[in-house]
Structures are given as structure tokens and as C-alpha cells.
Amino acid sequence: MTLQLTFRVELESDYHIGAGHGNGPLIDSALFREHDGSPAIRGTTLAGLLRDGFERLFNLPLLATRAALCPPGGIGCSGKSPCLRCRLFGSPAHPKEWHFSSARPLGAPGGKSDEHAWNAGQHAQVTHHVRINPRTRRAEESHLFAQEEGSAALSFRFTITCHRSDAAAWDEAAALVASARTVRHLGAGRHRGRGLCRISLAEVNGAAPNAQADLLQRFEQVYLRCNATATAIGPAEQAPIFSVVAPASTPESPAQPVRVQVILNAMEPVIIARRMEAGNQYETQPSIPGSALIGGLARLAQRRCEMHDRNSPSYARFLDVFRRGAVRFPFLYPAIRSTRAPDRLVPAIPAPQDLLTCKAFPGFKRRRMDDRHGVWSPGIDGSAVPEQCPVCRRLGADVPLEVMDGFQPVFQQTDSALPDTVDLRRRSEMHLRLDPSTGRAAEGDLYTYVALAAGGFFAGELVCRSEQDWADLLLLLGCDPNAGEAAVEVRVGKATTRGYGRALLHLARISNDKPHLWYAAALASRVQSADQPITLLLLTDTIMVDTWGRFHQTIDAAALSDLLGFRATIDWVSVSSRVVDGFYGHTGLPRWRDVALSAGSAVTLRIVDDADGAAVRSRLSALETEGVGLRRQEGFGQVAFNHPIYTGCAGIQEYVEIPEVLRSHVQREQAVAGLPDDRLIARLPFEIELQKLQDRAVVKPGSSNWHGFGKWLLAHAGLPWPEIERQAAAFGLPQSLDGELETRSKATALRSDDLKPVLDIIKNMASATNGFDHMTANQLRHYVERLAQFVIESSRKGE
């Protein structure tokens, strides 16, 4: 049984929690926000606030003599039985059992919940400050700065979760509630009138009446009166989930595999750290590997199993599912929404390394008069790839070809509603360690998390060995074993107890005849004969070893022939490798370091054996189904032959429906925070107009004139449209001594035709035309400022 405490943070004055960076040229310290623009308080901050309140509370003379706590300056409890502080807030020897979520706002300021509530800037204001010299008590020169402060009208909501509900858990919950009641300030400037707050318990496990009063009374009985016989409030622990070990399938009746479609929606930023940090920066991987998914689901299942008894049926089924290959867990790659179908997802795969495009005009050519010059690869027709772009060469320019990077959507590339490359949203969040003795940042303890932003979708395909294994997996996760689908909340990656890694996972069984969502086409349509060139594409990292256990760092003809079972020759190979590191969670020791062929590596081959097409397709289909190499139960070794990406995914127009449980969850979160629906965000005319400016390259990179215009527009964003139009007509024309305007002689000066696409956007917003709704003056100013920042950033790209 899970114990979940829901708290509410009410502000009594403006606050400032910095994001670690500025916002444009006018704000030096921006307010910390989530991916959707709403203000937020990360779980690391909340855990620190409650730990600070806990220290003040249990340092009181009465509680200090009755609570057995380890020294606060040490490394925590070293024995098997941690103290209360280490159970609540963790230590190097004992990870904390309570998970702190990030705090989201309760509705927009003033009760508004329309699509402009957060973006209009009504929740924050910019204030200017100076640094005072303590010796002279005067403002220091060049120390003027501007910071963004959140409104005192905001209220936040966050949860603290424990996956126990015994009497000890309720005692710990009482200590958390009492610690939260001692917190009076948050953020910066708490000694100068900012950040005054009040944290109160709103509900426990969905029940609100008298929750805070009951737990505070329990705190008095347990910690003040030392009454250890207090009655548990929560229900008793449930019975074992497995009574007997299920029989395995016999050779006479081989089990049929069960394919399961996996969709993950990140509710908090996700950090899947790379092999090591560089400069105190933990950078995330661009996808969710199978090992991270196994860790999240196994941690969820472990809380429901009798892991202390190795002879129990639950322990045996746990090992079978998560460690012995009964279930093959996938890599989860990004899935994007189309503007035409916001309730559907388009999966993506890593771009093949043998897919080359023009460096100046990259991307698939989508129509006849398109600016993109197209792609070239030996996997398309087996021909040699030129060194220079043929289209540019016909125009008299020598432009080299480069490898397409990022993730490519598995959908017909002629669809203009999809981007050429899936751009993952990342967040860079800075953290520091506070010295408990001084209450200030400890010197040198600054580090950064570069995480995948919340709100993103990821998709993959999980395979169970049999029907029984699928039912066992559902039972271990606390779901109905007879259901065809399930939704669970998991935590993946790093810092999962401090506001990172929380996600909603949906599992749905699919037919075995349905093509894999990563190539969306049957093998018979991709490989029609054994004589044609065949391209082997590694969809995930692949670990292959030879007879002596040495890692393959390329693919040669001998290894390829052994893999296929037919003699083959290689026409083209484009392979790279990387080191795969990891740690054992239960011991903290590093895993064996493997060398894997990177996802996107490709080999174009020809089969020289005299074999018919049916036999070749049967072998290739088995390799696509079973995978190749080691650690396949963790998602490694997924391959595809003649992937449709080489032909622009022609004819593939299959979406992945977003499950209703994920859609309703996103809508509930947005309703609480007063945020717009994602379907409205995808269709905002302003975002569409910005994309048009970017596609048409209206703003010239490296242009000082465009940079100056952007700064001018940012400074004059509050002017009405007629005044902006009048002053913009004379922009860039220097004034003579008598005050009259004279024509600029430089050919690089901005003309009215150059500014027209940008000014038309402001005109349409001001007059509520071309899809724009009526805006207030504050809303119009906000969008003009965003347009100006877009111009400034676009002009800086060439620097």
C-alpha cells in the first residue's frame, strides 16, 4: 500500500527561485519554470526546505533528547537500522524511501485558466537590484542586475510518496508534516522580505478531512510523549501476490510470444546520465535505454514481492521476469505529435549513419520546388554515394554531404506537418549544496543536470516469452493479470527521489501480425528477392563478440556471414562504436564495461549463396524478431533490413494512438495548473508563424542589422501597433544633424520588404486576423517580446 501526502504551498510575498540563466538581454536571473512556461519548484528545493525544517525542529531541547539521530555533519547511519533523518532524507548508505515530486501551481493567477494565462507574464515581474559595498555602503559600479520574481498570488501543490503504509511509515509522515509546518521562507532574499510562505498538508491518499490535525496529533504522541504504541492509521499490508510457481511451457506445446506496445509520458524531467560527468555536468542520453526501464519497473515490483525470502514464489517469478529473459525490455525512443493529429504519435528512430544529405540544404525533398536537396545512401539503390551534393554542383557550387543526425520520424516524409529531424527538448538545471552551518552555498559544490524536458512521449515494443510471463509481469506491477493493457507510474533514471524521473507508462498488447512500430512495414515488402542489395540497420546499440569473447567494433564479411547463415559480401559499411557502462544498484559496484556498435550503424550487403527469397526472408525475419548479440533482454541488438527510412518512408501513414489514460492524465495536470491543452498549443498561430520565419530563413544569421532590429523591437514591445509600424519604417536610417532622415548607403541595410514578414505577424496579432484571437495589451506585449527574442537568437546563429 502506498502512502502519499499532498502538500500545498501558499505564498505571502513575492519569491525568486533562479533558473541559473537569464532570459533575453533584459533579465539577468530568470524565474525557474517548467517546460510549458509555468513557474515551478523542483523536488530538490522542496526536499532541502523540509530537511532544514526537520533540523530546526529536532534541534529543540525537548526533541533533541528524545530522538536518536545520527550527527548532521556526518555521512549518515552506517548500521542496518537507519535513524529517522536518514529514512526521510537519505544518506550515502541508505537511500531515502520518500519521493519528493516537483511543485506545480494551483491554477493561473486571478483564477484564469485560458491559454494565455502563463504566457502573458501575469505571474511574474522584473525587479532591478544593485550590490551595496559593505565598506562604503554605496552601490558598486557595474553591479546593477535585473531578476524575475514570482507573484505572491501563486499557490503550489506537490506530493511526497512512500511505498509503505505500516505504523513506522505513518510515524515518519507525522514528522514530515511537522517539519513542513516549521518552514516559513523559500527561495532567494528570504532575509529581505521575499519568499514568505506557508506549507500545509492538503490530503493523504486522496482523503482531505482532518489529515493534518490527525498527523500532528500523532507527532505529539510519538515524539513528544514517547508513546510508541500509537495505532496505525493505514490499512494492513496485502497478502503475497503469488501462491505457487506457474509451470513453464513444455516442448510439446511451445509458448507463443506476446508483443506489448509501450508508451511513456514523462511527467518530470528525466536524466539517464552518460558514462561519466564532465565538469560537474550530468548530461542525459537522448533516449531511455532498456536497463533504465528495467530498473524502474523492478523497483516498483520489488515493493510488492517477498524479496527477503529467496524460496518464495514471488522471488522466483521476479528473477524470471527481470533477470532471466522471460521479458525483453526495449529501448524507448522519442515519439512526436503531428499538428494535424495531436492525439496521435509518430515514432522515431536514430538516423542511419549512411544516410547523407546536403550540408547547405539538408533534408528529404518533399515537393518539386522544395529548398531541400534530398538524401543519398547506398541503401536506396546500391549505387555509389557522391562526395559533393549533385544539386549544388549543377548550380556551380561545391557543397559536401554530411550525415543526418538526431532522430528521424517513421512516417511519410512528404507530410509537411512533421519535421525532418525530431528535436528533443532538453533542460539545463543548476544545483548547489548548502552549508548547514552558514545557510549559504558551499564553495565549489555547483553541478548541472541536463535532462530531457517533461511532457515528452517515448515509444517502444516489449516482448514476453509466453502468456504466463505477460500475466506475471502485470501481477508484479500490481495490475489485473487478465487485462490486455495497463498503466503504471514509474520512476526512471537519476535523482528519482528529488523531482526527476517520474513518468506514466502504458502497456498494451498488440497482434503478432502487426509490423513493428519502428519500421511499420512487413519484411516481404522490404526484401523481395535474395539478389537485391540488403541494408542491415542497427536500431539500437548492439553488443557482438567473437569466438574468444572480444568485442566487435566493426562488421566484416565473416561475422556477417555467420550472423545471417549465408555467405555475403559487403558493398558499404558505416559503423561506429561506444562504451556501455553501468552500476549494480544493490551493490553500487560498476558493471562489466561493454563495447557496443552504435545505433544507426548500417551495412549494405549482397548474398552470394544460391538461396531462394523465402529462405532469406525467413532468416532475416528471425533476426528482426529475436535480435542479435548480447544483453538482448535490455533492448540491445534490435535490427531492421531495408528500413523504409531510405525511401523516405513512402506510403507509411500509420500513427500510434495516445491511450486515453495518458490523455486524461495530461489534461488533469493542466487543469490543476491552469495550462492550455496540448492540442491548442500545437495549433497556436504564433508558433506556426515562427516556424514559417525559420523555414524561409527570413532573419539572416550573423546579420548585425537584424540583431539591432531585434533589440529595438524588444525595447519597444509595449507600443501600440500603429506606433511600431511608423517607427519600424524608419529603422536603420541614421538621422542627420538637422534631425531629418537620410538614406543609408550600405547594401546590407534592412528594407521594408525584409521587415514585412515580421511586422505582418504583429499586425495580425493586433487586429485578430489570420487565426489570431483578440489579445489584451499585456498579452500582445508578451508575444512581441517573444518575436523579438526569436529575431535576436536567429541573428546570432552565424556568430
Side-chain angles (χ1 to χ4, degrees):
M1 181 66 180
T2 298
L3 181 59
Q4 185 177 75
L5 311 178
T6 302
F7 289 87
R8 180 167 180 168
V9 182
E10 297 176 303
L11 294 171
E12 298 178 358
S13 65
D14 292 347
Y15 79 100
H16 176 74
I17 296 178
H21 56 76
N23 187 10
L26 300 182
I27 300 178
D28 298 305
S29 179
L31 189 68
F32 182 83
R33 290 185 175 86
E34 273 290 5
H35 67 285
D36 46 27
S38 64
I41 305 176
R42 186 62 72 221
T44 53
T45 302
L46 296 171
L49 286 174
L50 266 66
R51 185 183 183 110
D52 186 53
F54 177 89
E55 297 290 348
R56 289 198 305 270
L57 180 63
F58 281 86
N59 280 332
L60 295 176
L62 181 60
L63 288 173
T65 58
R66 298 184 178 183
L69 303 178
C70 63
I75 61 173
C77 299
S78 57
K80 295 184 179 180
S81 179
C83 67
L84 178 62
R85 179 195 292 113
C86 294
R87 292 200 304 271
L88 292 178
F89 303 104
S91 68
H94 298 280
K96 59 174 173 285
E97 301 178 5
W98 291 83
H99 299 263
F100 292 76
S101 73
S102 299
R104 300 298 302 273
L106 282 166
K112 298 182 180 180
S113 60
D114 61 308
E115 61 184 281
H116 304 294
W118 298 121
N119 292 332
Q122 302 171 13
H123 63 279
Q125 61 180 356
V126 179
T127 59
H128 293 80
H129 302 269
V130 295
R131 185 180 185 279
I132 303 299
N133 190 316
R135 184 176 61 84
T136 63
R137 293 191 177 276
R138 296 182 180 273
E140 292 191 1
E141 187 177 358
S142 302
H143 280 71
L144 172 69
F145 63 95
Q147 71 180 20
E148 200 175 14
E149 295 183 357
S151 171
L154 290 172
S155 295
F156 294 90
R157 171 182 176 271
F158 70 96
T159 60
I160 305 178
T161 306
C162 179
H163 294 279
R164 294 185 291 108
S165 61
D166 52 5
W170 286 96
D171 293 344
E172 295 166 10
L176 280 175
V177 173
S179 301
R181 297 297 295 165
T182 64
V183 177
R184 291 292 180 266
H185 302 84
L186 61 83
R190 61 180 64 186
H191 300 298
R192 297 185 292 277
R194 289 194 296 273
L196 217 62
C197 69
R198 188 169 61 248
I199 303 178
S200 56
L201 182 66
E203 59 185 50
V204 178
N205 286 7
N210 301 323
Q212 180 168 275
D214 292 342
L215 283 175
L216 289 178
Q217 185 177 5
R218 186 183 185 93
F219 178 84
E220 178 184 359
Q221 293 293 328
V222 174
Y223 297 101
L224 294 179
R225 302 183 184 275
C226 296
N227 181 11
T229 60
T231 305
I233 303 175
E237 293 292 329
Q238 62 183 28
I241 59 177
F242 290 97
S243 56
V244 295
V245 178
S249 59
T250 61
E252 290 77 11
S253 58
Q256 294 295 324
V258 177
R259 296 173 56 196
V260 181
Q261 180 179 275
V262 181
I263 299 178
L264 182 141
N265 178 230
M267 296 185 287
E268 293 176 344
V270 177
I271 307 171
I272 311 293
R274 298 186 184 272
R275 60 185 295 258
M276 64 178 63
E277 71 276 9
N280 290 342
Q281 178 168 300
Y282 296 85
E283 185 176 0
T284 184
Q285 299 183 29
S287 61
I288 300 177
S291 56
L293 183 60
I294 290 177
L297 293 178
R299 190 162 46 235
L300 182 64
Q302 177 264 339
R303 302 185 185 106
R304 307 188 67 251
C305 294
E306 300 85 11
M307 300 299 291
H308 59 280
D309 184 7
R310 296 194 174 188
N311 297 321
S312 66
S314 299
Y315 184 80
R317 301 308 296 161
F318 179 90
L319 289 182
D320 199 25
V321 168
F322 291 104
R323 300 304 304 166
R324 294 175 180 165
V327 179
R328 292 208 311 267
F329 295 88
F331 275 56
L332 297 181
Y333 286 148
I336 59 174
R337 289 183 176 183
S338 170
T339 55
R340 297 178 182 174
D343 290 338
R344 298 175 179 178
L345 298 174
V346 175
I349 63 170
Q353 296 182 15
D354 61 343
L355 199 63
L356 306 179
T357 185
C358 177
K359 185 176 182 179
F361 300 94
F364 287 89
K365 193 173 184 63
R366 296 186 172 183
R367 55 184 183 274
R368 185 175 181 182
M369 301 302 293
D370 199 348
D371 291 338
R372 303 172 182 88
H373 286 179
V375 298
W376 290 266
S377 172
I380 296 178
D381 55 4
S383 60
V385 176
E387 296 182 359
Q388 307 290 333
C389 175
V391 180
C392 294
R393 180 175 289 273
R394 288 197 298 266
L395 299 176
D398 292 334
V399 179
L401 298 179
E402 64 178 4
V403 178
M404 297 189 70
D405 56 358
F407 290 86
Q408 300 293 317
V410 185
F411 201 80
Q412 186 168 318
Q413 292 291 341
T414 56
D415 190 343
S416 59
L418 294 175
D420 287 333
T421 302
V422 178
D423 186 16
L424 290 176
R425 292 181 300 176
R426 287 182 171 88
R427 291 179 58 85
S428 179
E429 300 182 0
M430 303 185 69
H431 298 271
L432 47 83
R433 188 179 71 86
L434 295 179
D435 188 343
S437 60
T438 62
R440 297 182 179 275
E443 185 177 356
D445 288 347
L446 174 68
Y447 58 97
T448 304
Y449 287 159
V450 181
L452 297 172
F457 286 90
F458 299 82
E461 187 175 298
L462 177 147
V463 179
C464 298
R465 186 176 52 194
S466 64
E467 295 275 357
Q468 184 62 47
D469 295 321
W470 166 236
D472 290 345
L473 176 63
L474 292 179
L475 271 176
L476 288 169
L477 299 180
C479 304
D480 182 6
N482 299 318
E485 60 179 356
V488 293
E489 183 178 305
V490 298
R491 297 176 182 270
V492 295
K494 185 179 176 61
T496 55
T497 61
R498 306 191 299 274
Y500 292 91
R502 188 166 64 101
L504 191 61
L505 187 74
H506 183 266
L507 307 171
R509 183 173 178 175
I510 58 177
S511 172
N512 289 346
D513 298 331
K514 185 177 181 181
H516 198 288
L517 61 87
W518 283 347
Y519 35 86
L523 182 64
S525 63
R526 293 181 276 124
V527 180
Q528 299 177 357
S529 68
D531 299 332
Q532 70 179 103
I534 299 175
T535 299
L536 167 64
L537 175 64
L538 304 185
L539 296 175
T540 62
D541 294 341
T542 302
I543 304 173
M544 298 177 62
V545 296
D546 60 11
T547 308
W548 295 274
R550 297 173 298 187
F551 294 106
H552 283 290
Q553 299 190 41
T554 186
I555 300 179
D556 54 17
L560 195 59
S561 299
D562 293 340
L563 180 65
L564 298 176
F566 302 98
R567 287 192 304 116
T569 59
I570 295 178
D571 292 345
W572 179 281
V573 58
S574 180
V575 176
S576 62
S577 62
R578 75 177 188 92
V579 175
V580 179
D581 281 342
F583 280 85
Y584 290 103
H586 61 288
T587 63
L589 298 176
R591 297 186 63 170
W592 183 268
R593 176 172 292 179
D594 296 325
V595 179
L597 303 176
S598 301
S601 299
V603 177
T604 301
L605 60 100
R606 293 179 185 269
I607 296 177
V608 297
D609 278 348
D610 188 10
D612 60 348
V616 171
R617 282 193 295 269
S618 176
R619 177 55 181 165
L620 300 186
S621 177
L623 291 176
E624 288 187 344
T625 302
E626 300 171 2
V628 298
L630 306 180
R631 297 174 61 175
R632 285 175 286 173
Q633 76 277 7
E634 300 178 26
F636 290 91
Q638 187 72 44
V639 300
F641 295 93
N642 285 358
H643 196 281
I645 193 68
Y646 291 105
T647 59
C649 296
I652 296 180
Q653 295 184 344
E654 294 186 8
Y655 295 95
V656 177
E657 293 286 345
I658 300 179
E660 180 61 32
V661 63
L662 295 185
R663 289 203 298 264
S664 59
H665 168 77
V666 172
Q667 292 170 359
R668 284 196 304 270
E669 289 289 320
Q670 292 169 342
V672 170
L675 297 169
D677 192 278
D678 281 352
R679 289 171 292 184
L680 296 178
I681 294 177
R683 297 179 181 177
L684 282 179
F686 181 77
E687 305 296 339
I688 296 175
E689 294 299 327
L690 282 188
Q691 187 63 41
K692 289 180 180 178
L693 292 181
Q694 184 174 357
D695 293 342
R696 294 161 52 189
V698 172
V699 181
K700 305 304 180 185
S703 171
S704 60
N705 295 284
W706 275 109
H707 186 268
F709 174 75
K711 294 181 66 175
W712 174 86
L713 186 61
L714 187 64
H716 296 80
L719 295 178
W721 159 244
E723 187 64 21
I724 291 179
E725 183 181 27
R726 186 187 67 81
Q727 294 191 24
F731 180 82
L733 301 178
Q735 293 186 357
S736 59
L737 295 177
D738 56 0
E740 296 181 358
L741 297 176
E742 58 185 15
T743 303
R744 190 176 232 177
S745 59
K746 290 186 178 181
T748 57
L750 297 180
R751 300 171 298 177
S752 58
D753 294 341
D754 299 329
L755 299 176
K756 187 177 184 302
V758 178
L759 297 177
D760 283 347
I761 298 177
I762 306 176
K763 178 181 178 181
N764 293 333
M765 288 190 297
S767 57
T769 58
N770 197 22
F772 287 96
D773 298 328
H774 177 70
M775 297 183 184
T776 64
N778 288 334
Q779 294 166 357
L780 180 61
R781 175 175 182 170
H782 167 75
Y783 282 109
V784 174
E785 288 177 349
R786 289 184 59 190
L787 180 62
Q789 291 174 0
F790 169 81
V791 173
I792 295 174
E793 293 173 359
S794 299
S795 64
R796 285 177 173 174
K797 288 183 179 179
E799 296 179 359

PDB file of all heavy atoms in Angstrom, residues 263 333-337 345-348 422 424 456-459 656:
ATOM      1  N   ILE A 263       4.282   2.896 -24.244  1.00  0.00           N
ATOM      2  CA  ILE A 263       4.302   4.357 -24.426  1.00  0.00           C
ATOM      3  C   ILE A 263       4.549   4.985 -23.061  1.00  0.00           C
ATOM      4  O   ILE A 263       3.844   4.682 -22.089  1.00  0.00           O
ATOM      5  CB  ILE A 263       2.991   4.881 -25.023  1.00  0.00           C
ATOM      6  CG1 ILE A 263       2.751   4.255 -26.400  1.00  0.00           C
ATOM      7  CG2 ILE A 263       3.022   6.402 -25.145  1.00  0.00           C
ATOM      8  CD1 ILE A 263       1.450   4.685 -27.039  1.00  0.00           C
ATOM      9  N   TYR A 333      12.345   5.235 -27.670  1.00  0.00           N
ATOM     10  CA  TYR A 333      12.781   6.361 -28.485  1.00  0.00           C
ATOM     11  C   TYR A 333      11.689   7.431 -28.532  1.00  0.00           C
ATOM     12  O   TYR A 333      10.506   7.133 -28.319  1.00  0.00           O
ATOM     13  CB  TYR A 333      13.110   5.888 -29.905  1.00  0.00           C
ATOM     14  CG  TYR A 333      14.408   5.122 -30.008  1.00  0.00           C
ATOM     15  CD1 TYR A 333      14.575   4.108 -30.950  1.00  0.00           C
ATOM     16  CD2 TYR A 333      15.482   5.418 -29.181  1.00  0.00           C
ATOM     17  CE1 TYR A 333      15.778   3.406 -31.053  1.00  0.00           C
ATOM     18  CE2 TYR A 333      16.676   4.724 -29.275  1.00  0.00           C
ATOM     19  CZ  TYR A 333      16.818   3.727 -30.211  1.00  0.00           C
ATOM     20  OH  TYR A 333      18.004   3.044 -30.294  1.00  0.00           O
ATOM     21  N   PRO A 334      12.054   8.682 -28.833  1.00  0.00           N
ATOM     22  CA  PRO A 334      11.056   9.762 -28.837  1.00  0.00           C
ATOM     23  C   PRO A 334       9.946   9.500 -29.850  1.00  0.00           C
ATOM     24  O   PRO A 334      10.153   8.921 -30.913  1.00  0.00           O
ATOM     25  CB  PRO A 334      11.877  11.001 -29.213  1.00  0.00           C
ATOM     26  CG  PRO A 334      13.285  10.644 -28.907  1.00  0.00           C
ATOM     27  CD  PRO A 334      13.412   9.174 -29.127  1.00  0.00           C
ATOM     28  N   ALA A 335       8.769   9.952 -29.499  1.00  0.00           N
ATOM     29  CA  ALA A 335       7.604   9.934 -30.393  1.00  0.00           C
ATOM     30  C   ALA A 335       7.012  11.334 -30.381  1.00  0.00           C
ATOM     31  O   ALA A 335       6.853  11.941 -29.316  1.00  0.00           O
ATOM     32  CB  ALA A 335       6.572   8.903 -29.942  1.00  0.00           C
ATOM     33  N   ILE A 336       6.702  11.863 -31.560  1.00  0.00           N
ATOM     34  CA  ILE A 336       6.264  13.253 -31.684  1.00  0.00           C
ATOM     35  C   ILE A 336       4.810  13.306 -32.124  1.00  0.00           C
ATOM     36  O   ILE A 336       4.263  12.342 -32.664  1.00  0.00           O
ATOM     37  CB  ILE A 336       7.140  14.034 -32.682  1.00  0.00           C
ATOM     38  CG1 ILE A 336       7.089  13.373 -34.067  1.00  0.00           C
ATOM     39  CG2 ILE A 336       8.562  14.127 -32.182  1.00  0.00           C
ATOM     40  CD1 ILE A 336       7.794  14.164 -35.134  1.00  0.00           C
ATOM     41  N   ARG A 337       4.200  14.455 -31.872  1.00  0.00           N
ATOM     42  CA  ARG A 337       2.831  14.703 -32.302  1.00  0.00           C
ATOM     43  C   ARG A 337       2.827  15.451 -33.627  1.00  0.00           C
ATOM     44  O   ARG A 337       3.659  16.321 -33.866  1.00  0.00           O
ATOM     45  CB  ARG A 337       2.074  15.521 -31.268  1.00  0.00           C
ATOM     46  CG  ARG A 337       1.741  14.775 -29.994  1.00  0.00           C
ATOM     47  CD  ARG A 337       0.931  15.673 -29.080  1.00  0.00           C
ATOM     48  NE  ARG A 337       0.509  14.965 -27.882  1.00  0.00           N
ATOM     49  CZ  ARG A 337      -0.264  15.502 -26.955  1.00  0.00           C
ATOM     50  NH1 ARG A 337      -0.687  16.746 -27.089  1.00  0.00           N
ATOM     51  NH2 ARG A 337      -0.615  14.813 -25.907  1.00  0.00           N
ATOM     52  N   LEU A 345       0.655   9.739 -32.160  1.00  0.00           N
ATOM     53  CA  LEU A 345       2.101   9.866 -32.088  1.00  0.00           C
ATOM     54  C   LEU A 345       2.746   9.250 -33.315  1.00  0.00           C
ATOM     55  O   LEU A 345       2.233   8.287 -33.889  1.00  0.00           O
ATOM     56  CB  LEU A 345       2.642   9.161 -30.836  1.00  0.00           C
ATOM     57  CG  LEU A 345       2.182   9.693 -29.481  1.00  0.00           C
ATOM     58  CD1 LEU A 345       2.695   8.788 -28.373  1.00  0.00           C
ATOM     59  CD2 LEU A 345       2.658  11.118 -29.255  1.00  0.00           C
ATOM     60  N   VAL A 346       3.876   9.813 -33.691  1.00  0.00           N
ATOM     61  CA  VAL A 346       4.703   9.270 -34.764  1.00  0.00           C
ATOM     62  C   VAL A 346       6.019   8.831 -34.143  1.00  0.00           C
ATOM     63  O   VAL A 346       6.756   9.656 -33.599  1.00  0.00           O
ATOM     64  CB  VAL A 346       4.948  10.313 -35.873  1.00  0.00           C
ATOM     65  CG1 VAL A 346       5.912   9.764 -36.913  1.00  0.00           C
ATOM     66  CG2 VAL A 346       3.637  10.717 -36.528  1.00  0.00           C
ATOM     67  N   PRO A 347       6.341   7.525 -34.173  1.00  0.00           N
ATOM     68  CA  PRO A 347       7.610   7.066 -33.589  1.00  0.00           C
ATOM     69  C   PRO A 347       8.801   7.535 -34.402  1.00  0.00           C
ATOM     70  O   PRO A 347       8.680   7.904 -35.581  1.00  0.00           O
ATOM     71  CB  PRO A 347       7.473   5.541 -33.598  1.00  0.00           C
ATOM     72  CG  PRO A 347       6.514   5.273 -34.705  1.00  0.00           C
ATOM     73  CD  PRO A 347       5.550   6.432 -34.745  1.00  0.00           C
ATOM     74  N   ALA A 348       9.963   7.519 -33.794  1.00  0.00           N
ATOM     75  CA  ALA A 348      11.200   7.951 -34.454  1.00  0.00           C
ATOM     76  C   ALA A 348      12.305   6.963 -34.120  1.00  0.00           C
ATOM     77  O   ALA A 348      12.254   6.252 -33.110  1.00  0.00           O
ATOM     78  CB  ALA A 348      11.588   9.361 -34.016  1.00  0.00           C
ATOM     79  N   VAL A 422      13.616  14.961 -35.466  1.00  0.00           N
ATOM     80  CA  VAL A 422      12.971  15.150 -34.174  1.00  0.00           C
ATOM     81  C   VAL A 422      13.938  15.857 -33.241  1.00  0.00           C
ATOM     82  O   VAL A 422      15.041  15.358 -32.971  1.00  0.00           O
ATOM     83  CB  VAL A 422      12.536  13.795 -33.585  1.00  0.00           C
ATOM     84  CG1 VAL A 422      11.903  13.994 -32.215  1.00  0.00           C
ATOM     85  CG2 VAL A 422      11.561  13.105 -34.522  1.00  0.00           C
ATOM     86  N   LEU A 424      14.802  16.952 -29.674  1.00  0.00           N
ATOM     87  CA  LEU A 424      14.474  16.664 -28.282  1.00  0.00           C
ATOM     88  C   LEU A 424      14.628  17.920 -27.439  1.00  0.00           C
ATOM     89  O   LEU A 424      15.625  18.640 -27.537  1.00  0.00           O
ATOM     90  CB  LEU A 424      15.393  15.567 -27.735  1.00  0.00           C
ATOM     91  CG  LEU A 424      15.182  14.162 -28.301  1.00  0.00           C
ATOM     92  CD1 LEU A 424      16.223  13.229 -27.743  1.00  0.00           C
ATOM     93  CD2 LEU A 424      13.796  13.658 -27.986  1.00  0.00           C
ATOM     94  N   GLY A 456       7.380  14.970 -22.692  1.00  0.00           N
ATOM     95  CA  GLY A 456       7.686  14.231 -23.906  1.00  0.00           C
ATOM     96  C   GLY A 456       7.137  12.811 -23.877  1.00  0.00           C
ATOM     97  O   GLY A 456       6.915  12.225 -22.818  1.00  0.00           O
ATOM     98  N   PHE A 457       6.916  12.264 -25.067  1.00  0.00           N
ATOM     99  CA  PHE A 457       6.447  10.896 -25.219  1.00  0.00           C
ATOM    100  C   PHE A 457       7.582  10.044 -25.788  1.00  0.00           C
ATOM    101  O   PHE A 457       8.355  10.500 -26.640  1.00  0.00           O
ATOM    102  CB  PHE A 457       5.242  10.824 -26.155  1.00  0.00           C
ATOM    103  CG  PHE A 457       3.968  11.337 -25.538  1.00  0.00           C
ATOM    104  CD1 PHE A 457       3.613  12.671 -25.637  1.00  0.00           C
ATOM    105  CD2 PHE A 457       3.119  10.475 -24.860  1.00  0.00           C
ATOM    106  CE1 PHE A 457       2.443  13.146 -25.071  1.00  0.00           C
ATOM    107  CE2 PHE A 457       1.950  10.939 -24.293  1.00  0.00           C
ATOM    108  CZ  PHE A 457       1.607  12.274 -24.391  1.00  0.00           C
ATOM    109  N   PHE A 458       7.641   8.778 -25.330  1.00  0.00           N
ATOM    110  CA  PHE A 458       8.614   7.816 -25.804  1.00  0.00           C
ATOM    111  C   PHE A 458       7.893   6.500 -26.068  1.00  0.00           C
ATOM    112  O   PHE A 458       6.951   6.150 -25.350  1.00  0.00           O
ATOM    113  CB  PHE A 458       9.739   7.606 -24.783  1.00  0.00           C
ATOM    114  CG  PHE A 458      10.533   8.847 -24.483  1.00  0.00           C
ATOM    115  CD1 PHE A 458      10.075   9.788 -23.577  1.00  0.00           C
ATOM    116  CD2 PHE A 458      11.734   9.084 -25.119  1.00  0.00           C
ATOM    117  CE1 PHE A 458      10.792  10.935 -23.303  1.00  0.00           C
ATOM    118  CE2 PHE A 458      12.465  10.232 -24.860  1.00  0.00           C
ATOM    119  CZ  PHE A 458      11.994  11.157 -23.956  1.00  0.00           C
ATOM    120  N   ALA A 459       8.333   5.790 -27.101  1.00  0.00           N
ATOM    121  CA  ALA A 459       7.636   4.569 -27.508  1.00  0.00           C
ATOM    122  C   ALA A 459       8.624   3.467 -27.811  1.00  0.00           C
ATOM    123  O   ALA A 459       9.770   3.707 -28.216  1.00  0.00           O
ATOM    124  CB  ALA A 459       6.751   4.838 -28.723  1.00  0.00           C
ATOM    125  N   VAL A 656       0.447   6.121 -33.970  1.00  0.00           N
ATOM    126  CA  VAL A 656       0.249   5.392 -32.722  1.00  0.00           C
ATOM    127  C   VAL A 656      -0.703   6.207 -31.869  1.00  0.00           C
ATOM    128  O   VAL A 656      -0.406   7.361 -31.532  1.00  0.00           O
ATOM    129  CB  VAL A 656       1.589   5.173 -31.983  1.00  0.00           C
ATOM    130  CG1 VAL A 656       1.354   4.476 -30.654  1.00  0.00           C
ATOM    131  CG2 VAL A 656       2.546   4.360 -32.839  1.00  0.00           C
TER     132      VAL A 656
END
